[in-house]
Amino acid sequence: MTPKHADLAEQFIADESRTNWHDETLWFVREKRDKAAHGIPEWEDLREWGSQIKNHSLSNLSQYLKEFEEKATANGIQIHWAATGEEHNQIIHKIIQKHNIQKIVKSKSMLTEECHLNNYLEQRGIEVVDSDLGERIVQFRKEPPSHIVLPAIHLKKQDVSETFHTHLQTEKGNHDPQYLTEAARHHLRNKFVESELSITGVNFAIAETGGFVVCTNEGNADMGAHTAPIHIASMGFEKIIPKAEHLAVFLRLLSRSATGQPITTFSSHFQKPRAGQEMHIVIVDNGRSKQLGREDFRNSLKCIRCAACFNTCPVYRRSGGHSYHTSTAGPIGSILNPNLDMKANADLPFASTLCGSCTNVCPVKINIHEQLWKWRQEIVKNGYVDTSKKIGMNGMALLFSYPAIYRFTGKIGRWVMRVFPFVTNNKLNPWYKQREMPKPPATSFRDWYIKNGKNIKN
């Protein structure tokens, strides 16, 4: 049985100082995003253009995917189509077997995480080295990434120091980030030089040219692709955009939204294999067609994986990425994952305050909080909501339907909280766990307004 978000979040917030640090760190990234966005007057225009380009691409998907396949094939790239994550893994495994490949480096790719490629290959005795620094850290620790842009954001430098001491024999107790980063670079440099296959993701695929773009801040995708004789790019079909000129919009949106940078450090354009190299692109569906056919949720496929919604979300910041028990966490993951498995991920749309901050920062204007609300309705309609939640919501609906009962219940509740606080301040009350319960007001807002409202108007 899949653990629920609330239970996993409870484990994360048990360490209060780490929870506060995680919250503050991600809010710092959100603030950087705001400064970067406010630094260009045409920011809202860029968001609108990005949204409309994505809308157009999704509405003409078959046309652009066909054009992309034709152009890429003419460029010498081999195109493969995978209906599921399992097919994606099988295609890559066949290429590995064909060339008897032993050494693989992989740059960050959330699609390969979604398809569980590493586990698939490791079960068949094939080692995959994640070359992104954050991904390598969590790989050493046998943990999944907790964030799609900052995979190890849940870890402090002391955690990394201990991990590197165990796996890279670095100096015990040396927490200096520069020292630790240098140790990782030396370790990974040999992996790049020895690699026989490089696996990357795809940020944008251009139908007009048959080329694709990979964005990184470490250059690890370049290192892998330029040293290995075989390059495989894993691509969700929603990554397609019509023309190369559209990249100007998305590259300006992506880095500012993700980390507050004017542009990603490395925006690598791959057009065709170099002389003597073999290049493959695996284009994956894995539930995307189903999401495309859901009118209320189709525009979630516009996502460019910037994670701005993660960094602003009060629930994600204080519950940690692993509490979402999926490869893509946060608000966007909470509307993508129920499409893949509604029953297993029925808890995720409820891991939200519906405050709308995610929608406000989305660079391509996905109505994230509205989709979370709509997913809640779908989940209840399909019978996947917990019995306790269903009973509670029916009780609240009844209570709110009768104002007199609502006022009477509120009066009783305030009295009980004042006279018998132990009735609510105990572990049976989920709101009491790891929180300080507020002091009950002496009177309701309605009663206060009846008494003071006339004075305010005057």
Side-chain angles (χ1 to χ4, degrees), residues 37 208 261 293 302-303 340 357 361 406 411 425 455-457:
E208 177 185 43
Q261 297 168 250
K302 296 193 301 188
C303 177
L340 295 173
S357 186
V361 300
Y406 173 78
K411 190 175 292 185
N425 297 1
N455 296 332
I456 292 173
K457 289 178 183 177

Side-chain angles (χ1 to χ4, degrees), residues 313-370:
C313 177
V315 176
Y316 174 87
R317 295 200 320 265
R318 296 200 66 82
S319 64
H322 291 155
S323 63
Y324 291 79
H325 57 79
T326 57
S327 59
T328 303
I332 189 65
S334 297
I335 59 177
L336 293 175
N337 290 301
N339 174 65
L340 295 173
D341 190 333
M342 192 186 302
K343 183 178 180 181
N345 300 308
D347 57 316
L348 297 183
F350 295 91
S352 169
T353 64
L354 300 183
C355 66
S357 186
C358 48
T359 299
N360 290 341
V361 300
C362 178
V364 287
K365 294 191 172 183
I366 302 172
N367 57 332
I368 300 175
H369 73 292
E370 291 178 357

Side-chain angles (χ1 to χ4, degrees), residues 188-448:
L188 287 170
R189 186 57 59 95
N190 291 332
K191 302 294 183 183
F192 286 126
V193 172
E194 296 168 356
S195 68
E196 301 165 293
L197 167 64
S198 171
I199 301 174
T200 71
V202 172
N203 287 93
F204 307 102
I206 304 98
E208 177 185 43
T209 65
F212 60 95
V213 176
V214 181
C215 301
T216 70
N217 273 331
E218 300 172 26
N220 53 309
D222 283 359
M223 289 286 289
H226 294 322
T227 54
I230 302 173
H231 177 188
I232 301 176
S234 295
M235 169 187 154
F237 70 49
E238 78 283 7
K239 300 292 185 174
I240 201 82
I241 59 174
K243 297 183 178 182
E245 66 188 60
H246 297 145
L247 281 171
V249 173
F250 292 108
L251 292 178
R252 296 181 77 192
L253 287 169
L254 177 60
S255 53
R256 285 179 171 86
S257 298
T259 56
Q261 297 168 250
I263 195 164
T264 312
T265 307
F266 296 89
S267 297
S268 307
H269 298 245
F270 297 95
Q271 198 79 10
K272 60 182 180 180
R274 67 177 183 273
Q277 187 190 40
E278 197 172 292
M279 185 177 287
H280 302 258
I281 301 176
V282 185
I283 304 176
V284 182
D285 184 330
N286 200 37
R288 287 161 174 77
S289 293
K290 186 178 178 182
Q291 189 84 326
L292 187 65
R294 295 180 185 270
E295 186 177 352
D296 288 335
F297 306 109
R298 73 187 300 270
N299 82 352
S300 62
L301 294 175
K302 296 193 301 188
C303 177
I304 60 174
R305 300 301 192 272
C306 68
C309 61
F310 288 52
N311 304 333
T312 197
C313 177
V315 176
Y316 174 87
R317 295 200 320 265
R318 296 200 66 82
S319 64
H322 291 155
S323 63
Y324 291 79
H325 57 79
T326 57
S327 59
T328 303
I332 189 65
S334 297
I335 59 177
L336 293 175
N337 290 301
N339 174 65
L340 295 173
D341 190 333
M342 192 186 302
K343 183 178 180 181
N345 300 308
D347 57 316
L348 297 183
F350 295 91
S352 169
T353 64
L354 300 183
C355 66
S357 186
C358 48
T359 299
N360 290 341
V361 300
C362 178
V364 287
K365 294 191 172 183
I366 302 172
N367 57 332
I368 300 175
H369 73 292
E370 291 178 357
Q371 293 192 38
L372 288 167
W373 174 66
K374 288 174 181 176
W375 263 124
R376 293 182 184 188
Q377 297 173 62
E378 286 294 317
I379 287 163
V380 172
K381 189 190 305 180
N382 285 274
Y384 292 132
V385 71
D386 290 343
T387 303
S388 60
K389 187 181 288 291
K390 189 173 184 180
I391 293 171
M393 294 307 291
N394 286 336
M396 293 299 290
L398 179 67
L399 188 65
F400 291 149
S401 298
Y402 298 94
I405 297 176
Y406 173 78
R407 291 194 292 271
F408 176 74
T409 305
K411 190 175 292 185
I412 293 296
R414 291 191 297 276
W415 181 80
V416 168
M417 290 175 70
R418 282 197 304 271
V419 180
F420 304 109
F422 60 86
V423 174
T424 55
N425 297 1
N426 62 69
K427 292 183 179 179
L428 295 177
N429 177 11
W431 282 98
Y432 180 72
K433 291 180 181 178
Q434 296 160 324
R435 289 185 180 93
E436 293 180 4
M437 293 294 287
K439 184 180 178 181
T443 185
S444 70
F445 173 77
R446 181 179 183 275
D447 292 341
W448 178 91

Side-chain angles (χ1 to χ4, degrees), residues 70-108:
E70 290 172 353
K71 296 290 176 61
T73 301
N75 291 344
I77 302 173
Q78 299 180 45
I79 301 294
H80 310 265
W81 297 87
T84 64
E86 183 75 9
E87 280 189 27
H88 163 271
N89 297 342
Q90 289 171 354
I91 289 167
I92 292 179
H93 188 217
K94 284 179 182 177
I95 297 171
I96 292 169
Q97 287 181 313
K98 177 183 175 182
H99 296 277
N100 193 28
I101 291 169
Q102 302 297 321
K103 297 181 178 180
I104 303 170
V105 292
K106 181 167 73 70
S107 69
K108 184 161 55 184

